[in-house]
Amino acid sequence: MQKTFSNIIFFVALIAVFLVAILLNNLLFKGVSVDLTENKVYSLSSGTKDILSELEEPVNLYFFFSDDASKGMTAIRNYAVQVETLLKKYEQLAGGKINLEIVDPAPFSEDEDRAATFGLTAATVGSAGESIYFGLAGTNALDDAMVIGFFDPSKESFLEYDISKLVHQLSSPELAKVAIVTSLALEGGQNPMTGQQDPPNVIFTQLSQLFDVTLVNEVEDTLPEDSQVLILWHPQNVSDALLYNIDQYLLKGVKAIAFIDPHFESDQMSPMGAVGANSSLTSVLGKYGISVKDDELILDAQLGLEIRGQQNNVVRHVGYLGLGNAQINSDDITTADLDTLNGASFGAVTIDADNTLSLMPLISSSENTFTINTNDYATQRSPDALLDLASPFDQQAVLAARVTGKVTSAYTDNVEAQKDGFIGESEDFNIAVIADADLLADRFWVQQSSFFGQTVYSPFANNGDFVTNLVENFAGSEGLIGIRSRGTFARPFDKVQALAVQAEEKFREQEQLLQAQLEQTEAQLAQIQSQQTDSLTISPEQQAAIDEFIAQRVNIRKALRDVQFQLDKDIDSLGNKLAILNIVVAPLALVLLLFLTARLFSKRAPVAKQ
């Protein structure tokens, strides 16, 4: 009897210790968590932590999610929980500099008006036509506003980047400063070949609208001191002084985008075949161990675009490449949403084997790749004959890449060129090298048309998006550039999905019934109208038909909502069972397991001799 009483006391004490441990955990370790998910989807990267630590002014975040209207949408609700958890992590780590507000914008409410005012997307879902909000709005002390219109579950891997980008833009609302080194007439002007006025380059116009852009002619000696991004746009005759400044800018950590072309076919002064190859300057990159050969370019038998031939026929040009999803890196934030990129006479980007640089491809060719001498390509008039002059490459060529790592200055051995404050090496080298400049030309990605006297450009490829994404990414903070692509957190709920399928079958039956009744009513109404003699008078029969139509519509829509409610009820019931299992049954099972373990060890313990 005494032994049984002791066991009961032990069991009660064990439960009490468990409850006290939970209480102490909630009081002492509130906000402390361990992310045990496979891809760490509930933790923030070091880049985001750096951005949060640099916040100087408060940022207000408003997370809009239609909780009530989305019941039954299991996948999107699970994703919403993930987004909300991550946002709370932002608030927790920001040290009071982020104020998070969770908003459920009910239909016809002031919160719904707020969501619409911010410009968030109201997504129409389901056959009943309900609209849900699932987005984020942010404001700063200057009342600047940034939004993520709708959290697309297909972009889950870039969730942290999108949120951190919004926070960074609110904390640094000034336009990023971009310097473009080129001798091309990007601002438009008189065409030396036709004598007519050319419009500004479309990509240059887009960059000028989004950033503070400064054009630097190749013959100049200096770069703007506060430049955050440097673009080398088909550099050729760059002055020695400017080359030195470019080298020093790159070594002090300024991000760069280099469009280096073995043969730039879109140069107005160098039409194809007129003066041979028209290559960009590559020596400055070669000193760092980055290679884009100026005497060799890439042909692709699989990706060649169709063009108009000399005989006014359509021919495939294996030097004009149309790059699709298979050739575009979907894991990089700058290229993840791109579908098509067009360019011509691409080169291959490689790095020397004996350096410490890291190369991450952004664009690659297909496996049906060939190489051809640049001069042979430039002087060949027949696209059909290009492959006859080419050699198989036997692998996919990297056409554009991010290159990062440690480099030594191109002027380390040139003591005479070195100036005060010379930087000899850097571990923060960061450049995107695109082995083509033709993709910047309008003709490869936009269609020009006239609309009521205005020139309208309609893109048929994503060239402009690609360039803008690169500049936007490089203009961000170090933390923003370094944010990793997050993993995805999707675990199927088979039982919930089965319930949803059953309800949707009933829903479709009701929908078909509604459609049939609508058609029948409309036919009756049309028949009555055909008998009408006065078009301005509604007869009692017509009014009765209209009333019947309205009544049927109301009744059927009510039935549809009843089905949706039953679906929600079934899923909520399952959710409650799972909650009880997790909150009550699992802890009790753990306590019972500990009790049995303690009993087992107590039985094995040796008994002391009297």
CSV table of all heavy atoms in Angstrom, one decimal, residues 87-110:
chain,number,residue,atom,x,y,z
A,87,LEU,N,7.9,37.3,-39.8
A,87,LEU,CA,7.8,38.7,-39.5
A,87,LEU,C,8.0,39.0,-38.0
A,87,LEU,O,8.6,40.0,-37.6
A,87,LEU,CB,6.5,39.2,-40.0
A,87,LEU,CG,6.3,39.3,-41.5
A,87,LEU,CD1,4.8,39.6,-41.9
A,87,LEU,CD2,7.2,40.4,-42.1
A,88,LYS,N,7.5,38.1,-37.2
A,88,LYS,CA,7.6,38.3,-35.8
A,88,LYS,C,9.1,38.2,-35.4
A,88,LYS,O,9.6,38.8,-34.4
A,88,LYS,CB,6.8,37.3,-35.0
A,88,LYS,CG,5.3,37.6,-35.1
A,88,LYS,CD,4.5,36.6,-34.3
A,88,LYS,CE,3.0,36.9,-34.4
A,88,LYS,NZ,2.2,35.9,-33.7
A,89,LYS,N,9.8,37.4,-36.1
A,89,LYS,CA,11.3,37.2,-35.9
A,89,LYS,C,12.0,38.5,-36.2
A,89,LYS,O,12.9,39.0,-35.5
A,89,LYS,CB,11.8,36.1,-36.7
A,89,LYS,CG,13.1,35.5,-36.3
A,89,LYS,CD,12.9,34.7,-35.1
A,89,LYS,CE,14.2,33.9,-34.7
A,89,LYS,NZ,14.1,33.1,-33.5
A,90,TYR,N,11.5,39.2,-37.3
A,90,TYR,CA,12.1,40.5,-37.7
A,90,TYR,C,11.9,41.5,-36.6
A,90,TYR,O,12.8,42.2,-36.2
A,90,TYR,CB,11.4,41.0,-39.0
A,90,TYR,CG,12.0,40.5,-40.3
A,90,TYR,CD1,11.8,39.2,-40.7
A,90,TYR,CD2,12.9,41.3,-41.0
A,90,TYR,CE1,12.3,38.8,-41.9
A,90,TYR,CE2,13.4,40.9,-42.2
A,90,TYR,CZ,13.2,39.6,-42.7
A,90,TYR,OH,13.7,39.1,-43.8
A,91,GLU,N,10.6,41.5,-36.1
A,91,GLU,CA,10.3,42.5,-35.0
A,91,GLU,C,11.1,42.2,-33.7
A,91,GLU,O,11.6,43.1,-33.1
A,91,GLU,CB,8.8,42.4,-34.7
A,91,GLU,CG,8.3,43.4,-33.6
A,91,GLU,CD,6.8,43.2,-33.3
A,91,GLU,OE1,6.3,42.0,-33.3
A,91,GLU,OE2,6.2,44.2,-33.0
A,92,GLN,N,11.3,40.9,-33.4
A,92,GLN,CA,12.0,40.6,-32.2
A,92,GLN,C,13.5,41.0,-32.3
A,92,GLN,O,14.1,41.5,-31.3
A,92,GLN,CB,11.9,39.1,-32.0
A,92,GLN,CG,12.8,38.5,-30.9
A,92,GLN,CD,12.8,37.0,-30.9
A,92,GLN,OE1,11.9,36.3,-31.4
A,92,GLN,NE2,13.8,36.4,-30.2
A,93,LEU,N,14.1,40.8,-33.5
A,93,LEU,CA,15.6,41.1,-33.6
A,93,LEU,C,15.9,42.5,-34.0
A,93,LEU,O,17.1,42.9,-34.0
A,93,LEU,CB,16.1,40.2,-34.7
A,93,LEU,CG,16.1,38.7,-34.5
A,93,LEU,CD1,16.7,37.9,-35.7
A,93,LEU,CD2,16.9,38.3,-33.2
A,94,ALA,N,14.9,43.3,-34.2
A,94,ALA,CA,15.1,44.7,-34.6
A,94,ALA,C,15.3,45.6,-33.4
A,94,ALA,O,15.6,46.8,-33.6
A,94,ALA,CB,14.0,45.2,-35.5
A,95,GLY,N,15.2,45.1,-32.2
A,95,GLY,CA,15.4,46.0,-31.1
A,95,GLY,C,14.5,47.2,-30.9
A,95,GLY,O,14.9,48.2,-30.6
A,96,GLY,N,13.2,47.0,-31.2
A,96,GLY,CA,12.2,48.0,-31.1
A,96,GLY,C,12.2,48.9,-32.3
A,96,GLY,O,11.4,49.9,-32.3
A,97,LYS,N,12.9,48.7,-33.4
A,97,LYS,CA,12.9,49.5,-34.6
A,97,LYS,C,11.9,49.1,-35.6
A,97,LYS,O,11.7,49.7,-36.6
A,97,LYS,CB,14.3,49.6,-35.2
A,97,LYS,CG,15.3,50.3,-34.3
A,97,LYS,CD,15.0,51.7,-34.2
A,97,LYS,CE,15.9,52.5,-33.3
A,97,LYS,NZ,17.3,52.5,-33.8
A,98,ILE,N,11.3,47.9,-35.4
A,98,ILE,CA,10.2,47.5,-36.3
A,98,ILE,C,8.9,47.3,-35.5
A,98,ILE,O,8.9,46.6,-34.4
A,98,ILE,CB,10.6,46.1,-37.0
A,98,ILE,CG1,11.6,46.4,-38.1
A,98,ILE,CG2,9.3,45.5,-37.6
A,98,ILE,CD1,12.0,45.2,-38.9
A,99,ASN,N,7.8,47.9,-35.9
A,99,ASN,CA,6.5,47.8,-35.3
A,99,ASN,C,5.6,46.9,-36.2
A,99,ASN,O,5.3,47.4,-37.3
A,99,ASN,CB,5.9,49.1,-35.0
A,99,ASN,CG,6.8,50.0,-34.2
A,99,ASN,OD1,7.3,49.6,-33.2
A,99,ASN,ND2,7.0,51.3,-34.7
A,100,LEU,N,5.3,45.8,-35.8
A,100,LEU,CA,4.5,44.8,-36.6
A,100,LEU,C,3.0,44.9,-36.2
A,100,LEU,O,2.7,44.7,-35.0
A,100,LEU,CB,5.1,43.4,-36.5
A,100,LEU,CG,4.3,42.3,-37.3
A,100,LEU,CD1,4.3,42.6,-38.8
A,100,LEU,CD2,4.9,41.0,-37.0
A,101,GLU,N,2.2,45.0,-37.2
A,101,GLU,CA,0.7,44.9,-36.9
A,101,GLU,C,0.1,43.9,-37.8
A,101,GLU,O,0.3,43.9,-39.1
A,101,GLU,CB,0.1,46.3,-37.2
A,101,GLU,CG,-1.4,46.3,-37.0
A,101,GLU,CD,-2.1,47.6,-37.2
A,101,GLU,OE1,-1.3,48.6,-37.3
A,101,GLU,OE2,-3.3,47.7,-37.3
A,102,ILE,N,-0.6,42.9,-37.2
A,102,ILE,CA,-1.3,41.9,-38.0
A,102,ILE,C,-2.7,42.3,-38.2
A,102,ILE,O,-3.5,42.6,-37.3
A,102,ILE,CB,-1.3,40.5,-37.2
A,102,ILE,CG1,0.1,40.2,-36.7
A,102,ILE,CG2,-1.8,39.4,-38.1
A,102,ILE,CD1,1.2,40.0,-37.8
A,103,VAL,N,-3.1,42.3,-39.5
A,103,VAL,CA,-4.4,42.8,-39.9
A,103,VAL,C,-5.2,41.8,-40.7
A,103,VAL,O,-4.7,41.2,-41.6
A,103,VAL,CB,-4.3,44.1,-40.7
A,103,VAL,CG1,-5.7,44.7,-41.0
A,103,VAL,CG2,-3.4,45.1,-40.1
A,104,ASP,N,-6.5,41.6,-40.2
A,104,ASP,CA,-7.4,40.7,-41.0
A,104,ASP,C,-8.4,41.6,-41.6
A,104,ASP,O,-9.4,42.0,-41.0
A,104,ASP,CB,-8.0,39.7,-40.0
A,104,ASP,CG,-9.0,38.7,-40.8
A,104,ASP,OD1,-9.1,38.8,-42.0
A,104,ASP,OD2,-9.7,37.9,-40.1
A,105,PRO,N,-8.2,41.9,-42.9
A,105,PRO,CA,-9.1,42.8,-43.6
A,105,PRO,C,-10.5,42.2,-44.0
A,105,PRO,O,-10.6,41.7,-45.1
A,105,PRO,CB,-8.3,43.3,-44.8
A,105,PRO,CG,-7.5,42.1,-45.1
A,105,PRO,CD,-7.2,41.4,-43.8
A,106,ALA,N,-11.4,42.3,-43.1
A,106,ALA,CA,-12.7,41.7,-43.3
A,106,ALA,C,-13.4,42.5,-44.5
A,106,ALA,O,-13.1,43.7,-44.7
A,106,ALA,CB,-13.6,41.8,-42.1
A,107,PRO,N,-14.3,41.8,-45.3
A,107,PRO,CA,-14.9,42.5,-46.4
A,107,PRO,C,-15.7,43.8,-45.9
A,107,PRO,O,-16.3,43.8,-44.9
A,107,PRO,CB,-15.9,41.5,-46.9
A,107,PRO,CG,-15.2,40.2,-46.5
A,107,PRO,CD,-14.6,40.4,-45.2
A,108,PHE,N,-15.6,44.9,-46.7
A,108,PHE,CA,-16.3,46.1,-46.5
A,108,PHE,C,-15.9,46.8,-45.1
A,108,PHE,O,-16.6,47.6,-44.6
A,108,PHE,CB,-17.8,45.9,-46.5
A,108,PHE,CG,-18.3,45.2,-47.7
A,108,PHE,CD1,-18.7,43.9,-47.6
A,108,PHE,CD2,-18.3,45.8,-48.9
A,108,PHE,CE1,-19.2,43.2,-48.7
A,108,PHE,CE2,-18.7,45.1,-50.1
A,108,PHE,CZ,-19.2,43.8,-50.0
A,109,SER,N,-14.7,46.5,-44.6
A,109,SER,CA,-14.2,47.1,-43.4
A,109,SER,C,-13.2,48.2,-43.7
A,109,SER,O,-12.7,48.3,-44.8
A,109,SER,CB,-13.6,46.0,-42.5
A,109,SER,OG,-12.4,45.5,-43.1
A,110,GLU,N,-12.8,48.9,-42.7
A,110,GLU,CA,-11.8,50.0,-42.8
A,110,GLU,C,-10.5,49.3,-43.1
A,110,GLU,O,-9.6,49.9,-43.8
A,110,GLU,CB,-11.7,50.8,-41.5
A,110,GLU,CG,-13.0,51.7,-41.3
A,110,GLU,CD,-12.8,52.6,-40.1
A,110,GLU,OE1,-11.7,52.5,-39.5
A,110,GLU,OE2,-13.7,53.4,-39.8
